[in-house]
Amino acid sequence: PHVAIDRLGNFAVSWTMTSDPNYYVPNTLFVSAEVKVFDANRNVLFDENELPFAGGGAGDTSVAFDSNSNLAMAWEELADSDHIGTGTTGIYACEWEIFQRDAQNNIVTTAAGAPVLSGAVLREKFRVNSASMDITTQTEWPGGQWYPQIAMDADGDLTVTYQGYGPDVSVNAYI
């Protein structure tokens, strides 16, 4: 599991749901990546499967918040296809808006003062481990990539690190 806390005390927990809860082998048996979001008083804001993303066969999650309480998650996804059509593990991420915001970027509240939840997708699922800096292509590295760690700065810029094979076929960590 991985935990992230925002500046308001809200927190998110992400984990991997496996096909057998008593048996875990890295990079196998993934069913889904899960994330649950709580407020500072431990009340559930979003239960697992309430934040939309396409992450079937996903696992090894990592989460992060920005200063607006937007949540990003990175994960590895199995049954991915590399550039030569063989199976591999790729790194993906997406981002959600947790609270609705007005034109001045303030959290919208109800008449009772409770924040209005959003859950809107800010960044659709995208592949992190691309071998190309050309955003119009999805050149993919051969072999598997694993164990993503995501970080997000105050204004939402993402950094994701992971372990895997790069063009030089090493097993070092790449950014």
Side-chain angles (χ1 to χ4, degrees):
H2 192 87
V3 177
I5 301 171
D6 73 5
R7 64 185 178 87
L8 303 174
N10 304 305
F11 62 99
V13 180
S14 67
W15 68 94
T16 301
M17 185 69 72
T18 64
S19 56
D20 181 345
N22 298 313
Y23 182 72
Y24 175 73
V25 175
N27 302 317
T28 61
L29 301 174
F30 291 152
V31 173
S32 63
E34 305 288 341
V35 63
K36 195 169 188 175
V37 183
F38 301 84
D39 68 14
N41 295 316
R42 299 185 310 252
N43 298 307
V44 175
L45 297 176
F46 290 96
D47 215 338
E48 53 263 50
N49 301 317
E50 287 189 326
L51 292 174
F53 80 102
D60 284 332
T61 62
S62 179
V63 287
F65 281 106
D66 67 10
S67 65
N68 287 325
S69 300
N70 297 320
L71 176 67
M73 183 169 76
W75 66 91
E76 64 185 57
E77 192 165 309
L78 297 174
D80 200 8
S81 177
D82 65 15
H83 72 291
I84 57 174
T86 60
T88 184
T89 306
I91 305 298
Y92 292 85
C94 65
E95 182 181 359
W96 303 276
E97 176 184 67
I98 299 301
F99 302 109
Q100 288 185 17
R101 296 201 170 260
D102 63 20
Q104 289 75 39
N105 203 32
N106 298 310
I107 294 175
V108 175
T109 58
T110 64
V116 177
L117 299 177
S118 171
V121 175
L122 295 177
R123 294 182 199 183
E124 295 285 339
K125 172 184 169 182
F126 65 94
R127 187 177 182 122
V128 172
N129 65 311
S130 174
S132 174
M133 296 303 283
D134 179 356
I135 61 171
T136 64
T137 68
Q138 280 290 352
T139 305
E140 301 167 4
W141 289 350
Q145 287 78 42
W146 312 275
Y147 314 119
Q149 292 294 312
I150 193 166
M152 190 162 33
D153 69 8
D155 63 349
D157 298 319
L158 298 174
T159 300
V160 181
T161 61
Y162 55 91
Q163 177 180 331
Y165 295 99
D168 64 352
V169 193
S170 69
V171 292
N172 296 321
Y174 294 90
I175 295 177

